[in-house]
Amino acid sequence: MSTHALDAPSTCPLQQLVRRRRKVARPQELLEAALTLFVEKGFAATRAEEVARLAGVSKGTLYLYYPSKDELFKAVVRTYLGQFIVESADLVDQHEGSAAELLQDLAKTWWSRVGQSQAAGIIKLIVAEAANFPDLAQFYMDEVVAPCHALLGRAVQRGIDRGEFRPMDVSSVVMALVAPVQFLVLYQQCAAACTVTPVPMEPDLFIRTQIELLLRGLEVRPDANLGPSGAAA
């Protein structure tokens, strides 16, 4: 019998395919593990070997993809928040309805994609640890805060330009839009740690209420040019 007939490849094609797919999926698995630990333990307390262990790989494999914990955190932010910003920019570009409807859509999309997901914990992490890690705080400002501000500013300015909204300081309006959702995230994070929440909050209702209040303040009123007595100002 030929010895060649007894020779078997070290790995069959199926095993090779599984390994290739595993390798492709590995960066995302590392990011998921890192997000979980960053949110649960904070940036300072999370160790690289813990991330690797949770993802089922060695510490050396982790460093092949992300050479430092700082770079791993930046990748988490870009994946879970940065990608949402990119998709939201497309939403703004393609939206054909009113500016008010656009702001409502952005708020709903943010809550469904970020606010009620594990990624919302990144906001709490930044608030808690910014002073100890100023470089990461600056990264967050540059990669998340500034693009979000510009994105919302475009939507608000569109409403002003079309005569839907009153002329107002766009930057201040954007801050007024962002503040409630940041509060909501922090409140949810705090309430989750409590055995009893004496003041429960329904997130969807809270967001709708905040948007309604802001839109009421922005909308052009029919009597906007009239003085207190009803006479032309």
Side-chain angles (χ1 to χ4, degrees), residues 83-97:
Q83 184 58 39
F84 167 75
I85 295 170
V86 171
E87 294 173 8
S88 296
D90 292 338
L91 175 62
V92 172
D93 291 337
Q94 298 169 11
H95 186 79
E96 297 180 353

PDB file of all heavy atoms in Angstrom, residues 83-97:
ATOM      1  N   GLN A  83     -19.147  54.899  14.379  1.00  0.00           N
ATOM      2  CA  GLN A  83     -19.906  54.366  13.251  1.00  0.00           C
ATOM      3  C   GLN A  83     -21.341  54.888  13.254  1.00  0.00           C
ATOM      4  O   GLN A  83     -21.913  55.170  12.203  1.00  0.00           O
ATOM      5  CB  GLN A  83     -19.902  52.838  13.289  1.00  0.00           C
ATOM      6  CG  GLN A  83     -20.572  52.172  12.102  1.00  0.00           C
ATOM      7  CD  GLN A  83     -19.963  52.568  10.779  1.00  0.00           C
ATOM      8  OE1 GLN A  83     -18.753  52.705  10.657  1.00  0.00           O
ATOM      9  NE2 GLN A  83     -20.804  52.763   9.767  1.00  0.00           N
ATOM     10  N   PHE A  84     -21.906  55.039  14.443  1.00  0.00           N
ATOM     11  CA  PHE A  84     -23.261  55.598  14.535  1.00  0.00           C
ATOM     12  C   PHE A  84     -23.290  57.033  14.012  1.00  0.00           C
ATOM     13  O   PHE A  84     -24.237  57.438  13.328  1.00  0.00           O
ATOM     14  CB  PHE A  84     -23.749  55.564  15.980  1.00  0.00           C
ATOM     15  CG  PHE A  84     -24.986  56.386  16.214  1.00  0.00           C
ATOM     16  CD1 PHE A  84     -26.225  55.942  15.775  1.00  0.00           C
ATOM     17  CD2 PHE A  84     -24.906  57.625  16.841  1.00  0.00           C
ATOM     18  CE1 PHE A  84     -27.365  56.711  15.962  1.00  0.00           C
ATOM     19  CE2 PHE A  84     -26.033  58.396  17.038  1.00  0.00           C
ATOM     20  CZ  PHE A  84     -27.264  57.943  16.595  1.00  0.00           C
ATOM     21  N   ILE A  85     -22.256  57.808  14.313  1.00  0.00           N
ATOM     22  CA  ILE A  85     -22.195  59.195  13.844  1.00  0.00           C
ATOM     23  C   ILE A  85     -22.137  59.239  12.321  1.00  0.00           C
ATOM     24  O   ILE A  85     -22.811  60.058  11.681  1.00  0.00           O
ATOM     25  CB  ILE A  85     -20.985  59.915  14.466  1.00  0.00           C
ATOM     26  CG1 ILE A  85     -21.162  60.019  15.984  1.00  0.00           C
ATOM     27  CG2 ILE A  85     -20.816  61.313  13.870  1.00  0.00           C
ATOM     28  CD1 ILE A  85     -19.928  60.502  16.719  1.00  0.00           C
ATOM     29  N   VAL A  86     -21.348  58.359  11.729  1.00  0.00           N
ATOM     30  CA  VAL A  86     -21.248  58.292  10.270  1.00  0.00           C
ATOM     31  C   VAL A  86     -22.612  57.973   9.658  1.00  0.00           C
ATOM     32  O   VAL A  86     -23.050  58.613   8.690  1.00  0.00           O
ATOM     33  CB  VAL A  86     -20.213  57.232   9.845  1.00  0.00           C
ATOM     34  CG1 VAL A  86     -20.275  57.000   8.332  1.00  0.00           C
ATOM     35  CG2 VAL A  86     -18.814  57.667  10.253  1.00  0.00           C
ATOM     36  N   GLU A  87     -23.304  57.002  10.223  1.00  0.00           N
ATOM     37  CA  GLU A  87     -24.620  56.622   9.703  1.00  0.00           C
ATOM     38  C   GLU A  87     -25.636  57.736   9.926  1.00  0.00           C
ATOM     39  O   GLU A  87     -26.528  57.947   9.081  1.00  0.00           O
ATOM     40  CB  GLU A  87     -25.073  55.334  10.374  1.00  0.00           C
ATOM     41  CG  GLU A  87     -24.217  54.134  10.008  1.00  0.00           C
ATOM     42  CD  GLU A  87     -24.562  52.898  10.809  1.00  0.00           C
ATOM     43  OE1 GLU A  87     -25.567  52.932  11.547  1.00  0.00           O
ATOM     44  OE2 GLU A  87     -23.834  51.891  10.694  1.00  0.00           O
ATOM     45  N   SER A  88     -25.521  58.464  11.018  1.00  0.00           N
ATOM     46  CA  SER A  88     -26.434  59.577  11.279  1.00  0.00           C
ATOM     47  C   SER A  88     -26.199  60.718  10.292  1.00  0.00           C
ATOM     48  O   SER A  88     -27.140  61.409   9.885  1.00  0.00           O
ATOM     49  CB  SER A  88     -26.254  60.088  12.713  1.00  0.00           C
ATOM     50  OG  SER A  88     -26.620  59.093  13.642  1.00  0.00           O
ATOM     51  N   ALA A  89     -24.946  60.912   9.895  1.00  0.00           N
ATOM     52  CA  ALA A  89     -24.643  61.928   8.885  1.00  0.00           C
ATOM     53  C   ALA A  89     -25.321  61.576   7.568  1.00  0.00           C
ATOM     54  O   ALA A  89     -25.845  62.459   6.868  1.00  0.00           O
ATOM     55  CB  ALA A  89     -23.133  62.049   8.695  1.00  0.00           C
ATOM     56  N   ASP A  90     -25.343  60.295   7.235  1.00  0.00           N
ATOM     57  CA  ASP A  90     -26.051  59.863   6.024  1.00  0.00           C
ATOM     58  C   ASP A  90     -27.545  60.133   6.159  1.00  0.00           C
ATOM     59  O   ASP A  90     -28.202  60.523   5.181  1.00  0.00           O
ATOM     60  CB  ASP A  90     -25.816  58.375   5.783  1.00  0.00           C
ATOM     61  CG  ASP A  90     -24.372  58.061   5.403  1.00  0.00           C
ATOM     62  OD1 ASP A  90     -23.683  58.979   4.929  1.00  0.00           O
ATOM     63  OD2 ASP A  90     -23.946  56.903   5.594  1.00  0.00           O
ATOM     64  N   LEU A  91     -28.087  59.914   7.349  1.00  0.00           N
ATOM     65  CA  LEU A  91     -29.508  60.183   7.589  1.00  0.00           C
ATOM     66  C   LEU A  91     -29.821  61.658   7.359  1.00  0.00           C
ATOM     67  O   LEU A  91     -30.833  61.995   6.734  1.00  0.00           O
ATOM     68  CB  LEU A  91     -29.882  59.769   9.009  1.00  0.00           C
ATOM     69  CG  LEU A  91     -31.316  60.085   9.471  1.00  0.00           C
ATOM     70  CD1 LEU A  91     -32.326  59.357   8.600  1.00  0.00           C
ATOM     71  CD2 LEU A  91     -31.502  59.698  10.934  1.00  0.00           C
ATOM     72  N   VAL A  92     -28.955  62.541   7.859  1.00  0.00           N
ATOM     73  CA  VAL A  92     -29.158  63.976   7.660  1.00  0.00           C
ATOM     74  C   VAL A  92     -29.107  64.323   6.182  1.00  0.00           C
ATOM     75  O   VAL A  92     -29.936  65.087   5.669  1.00  0.00           O
ATOM     76  CB  VAL A  92     -28.095  64.783   8.444  1.00  0.00           C
ATOM     77  CG1 VAL A  92     -28.180  66.269   8.092  1.00  0.00           C
ATOM     78  CG2 VAL A  92     -28.287  64.593   9.947  1.00  0.00           C
ATOM     79  N   ASP A  93     -28.146  63.751   5.475  1.00  0.00           N
ATOM     80  CA  ASP A  93     -27.978  64.053   4.047  1.00  0.00           C
ATOM     81  C   ASP A  93     -29.175  63.589   3.218  1.00  0.00           C
ATOM     82  O   ASP A  93     -29.564  64.248   2.258  1.00  0.00           O
ATOM     83  CB  ASP A  93     -26.705  63.380   3.513  1.00  0.00           C
ATOM     84  CG  ASP A  93     -25.439  63.997   4.076  1.00  0.00           C
ATOM     85  OD1 ASP A  93     -25.493  65.168   4.514  1.00  0.00           O
ATOM     86  OD2 ASP A  93     -24.397  63.314   4.099  1.00  0.00           O
ATOM     87  N   GLN A  94     -29.761  62.457   3.597  1.00  0.00           N
ATOM     88  CA  GLN A  94     -30.813  61.853   2.783  1.00  0.00           C
ATOM     89  C   GLN A  94     -32.223  62.243   3.217  1.00  0.00           C
ATOM     90  O   GLN A  94     -33.187  61.961   2.497  1.00  0.00           O
ATOM     91  CB  GLN A  94     -30.671  60.330   2.835  1.00  0.00           C
ATOM     92  CG  GLN A  94     -29.347  59.820   2.264  1.00  0.00           C
ATOM     93  CD  GLN A  94     -29.103  58.350   2.561  1.00  0.00           C
ATOM     94  OE1 GLN A  94     -29.999  57.639   3.028  1.00  0.00           O
ATOM     95  NE2 GLN A  94     -27.884  57.888   2.306  1.00  0.00           N
ATOM     96  N   HIS A  95     -32.345  62.894   4.357  1.00  0.00           N
ATOM     97  CA  HIS A  95     -33.672  63.221   4.881  1.00  0.00           C
ATOM     98  C   HIS A  95     -34.372  64.249   3.991  1.00  0.00           C
ATOM     99  O   HIS A  95     -33.789  65.264   3.615  1.00  0.00           O
ATOM    100  CB  HIS A  95     -33.552  63.777   6.300  1.00  0.00           C
ATOM    101  CG  HIS A  95     -34.867  63.999   6.973  1.00  0.00           C
ATOM    102  ND1 HIS A  95     -35.589  62.974   7.546  1.00  0.00           N
ATOM    103  CD2 HIS A  95     -35.591  65.124   7.153  1.00  0.00           C
ATOM    104  CE1 HIS A  95     -36.705  63.461   8.047  1.00  0.00           C
ATOM    105  NE2 HIS A  95     -36.725  64.754   7.829  1.00  0.00           N
ATOM    106  N   GLU A  96     -35.631  63.980   3.677  1.00  0.00           N
ATOM    107  CA  GLU A  96     -36.393  64.861   2.794  1.00  0.00           C
ATOM    108  C   GLU A  96     -37.557  65.536   3.500  1.00  0.00           C
ATOM    109  O   GLU A  96     -38.250  66.349   2.900  1.00  0.00           O
ATOM    110  CB  GLU A  96     -36.899  64.068   1.586  1.00  0.00           C
ATOM    111  CG  GLU A  96     -35.777  63.509   0.710  1.00  0.00           C
ATOM    112  CD  GLU A  96     -36.302  62.726  -0.472  1.00  0.00           C
ATOM    113  OE1 GLU A  96     -37.542  62.503  -0.531  1.00  0.00           O
ATOM    114  OE2 GLU A  96     -35.485  62.330  -1.331  1.00  0.00           O
ATOM    115  N   GLY A  97     -37.772  65.221   4.751  1.00  0.00           N
ATOM    116  CA  GLY A  97     -38.885  65.821   5.480  1.00  0.00           C
ATOM    117  C   GLY A  97     -38.478  67.111   6.163  1.00  0.00           C
ATOM    118  O   GLY A  97     -37.477  67.752   5.817  1.00  0.00           O
TER     119      GLY A  97
END
